[in-house]
Amino acid sequence: MSENVTANELATQGPADAPAATGERADFLEALAKHRHFLRFTTRDLTDEQAGRRTTASELCLGGLIKHVAAVERAWVRFILEGPSAMGDFTAMTKDDEARRADEFRLLDGETLAGVLDEYAEVARRTDELVVTLPDLDAAQPLPKAPWFESGAQWSARRVLMHIIGETAQHAGHADIIRESLDSAKTMG
């Protein structure tokens, strides 16, 4: 991240100059930008310690949510491009895999809010670029093996993008509750 850009500025700024798009692709970019903004906005004016603090009964913290949403978005974009091998087989997860996944939801030693916001911005940039340049939103891939997916089901790139939007919006809501529990600040209202 540039030394001239603080974590607070990165949390409150809108998306970088998004590529030009029209129709449903522009709608996808607009929805992604809106929900990413709400998620990032929950981290405004926070220290690394605050961003890593649990404030509810769940294991979630704001920095961890940003990390998780970035990781999920990155994985689904890889899925669009590479298919189910990009995500692995969730039915064969080991305890080490589960521990790595749990670490995705918290700030670890050496991680900073600015660092996770910067990584999230880069993931968002790549996704936005894909939304504009992908030749066919109907192109489908078989879903990875997972207990929560129907065996043999496929998702189109369009369906994956809708899922990323939903995931981002859901976690922006979680983040708002965590932030309000931390210091009474709200995203809206």
Side-chain angles (χ1 to χ4, degrees):
M1 177 171 19
S2 165
E3 292 179 35
N4 298 331
V5 179
T6 66
N8 186 54
E9 290 167 335
L10 191 54
T12 58
Q13 70 187 1
D17 293 330
T22 60
E24 77 177 319
R25 291 173 192 254
D27 293 342
F28 285 141
L29 291 174
E30 183 180 340
L32 283 166
K34 173 184 168 185
H35 296 300
R36 288 173 183 147
H37 168 75
F38 286 137
L39 179 59
R40 285 190 312 260
F41 191 66
T42 62
T43 66
R44 70 197 179 282
D45 302 322
L46 293 182
T47 66
D48 292 338
E49 187 274 326
Q50 290 171 310
R53 189 181 309 155
R54 290 177 46 210
T55 63
T56 66
S58 80
E59 294 289 325
L60 301 175
C61 68
L62 291 171
L65 272 176
I66 301 283
K67 261 178 66 173
H68 169 70
V69 172
V72 167
E73 186 171 322
R74 181 185 312 107
W76 279 112
V77 166
R78 286 187 57 221
F79 170 83
I80 290 171
L81 297 170
E82 301 169 23
S85 64
M87 298 182 92
D89 180 349
F90 292 100
T91 64
M93 287 182 70
T94 66
K95 290 210 182 285
D96 287 343
D97 294 330
E98 291 171 8
R100 277 190 295 279
R101 189 162 172 87
D103 284 347
E104 202 176 88
F105 287 94
R106 56 182 157 257
L107 281 182
L108 303 175
D109 288 341
E111 292 179 330
T112 65
L113 177 57
V116 298
L117 286 168
D118 198 33
E119 176 62 21
Y120 186 37
E122 179 58 23
V123 168
R125 184 197 63 75
R126 288 187 205 137
T127 302
D128 290 353
E129 184 178 294
L130 180 68
V131 169
V132 173
T133 62
L134 191 67
D136 183 6
L137 293 177
D138 290 322
Q141 301 277 12
L143 289 169
K145 288 184 181 180
W148 50 85
F149 292 135
E150 179 184 339
S151 180
Q154 294 188 352
W155 277 8
S156 67
R158 177 181 290 101
R159 175 65 182 93
V160 171
L161 292 169
M162 291 186 321
H163 179 73
I164 292 170
I165 292 165
E167 176 97 3
T168 306
Q170 178 181 16
H171 287 311
H174 293 146
D176 200 33
I177 292 167
I178 292 168
R179 179 62 190 259
E180 189 172 1
S181 297
L182 179 67
D183 63 3
S184 300
K186 299 179 195 175
T187 302
M188 296 187 319

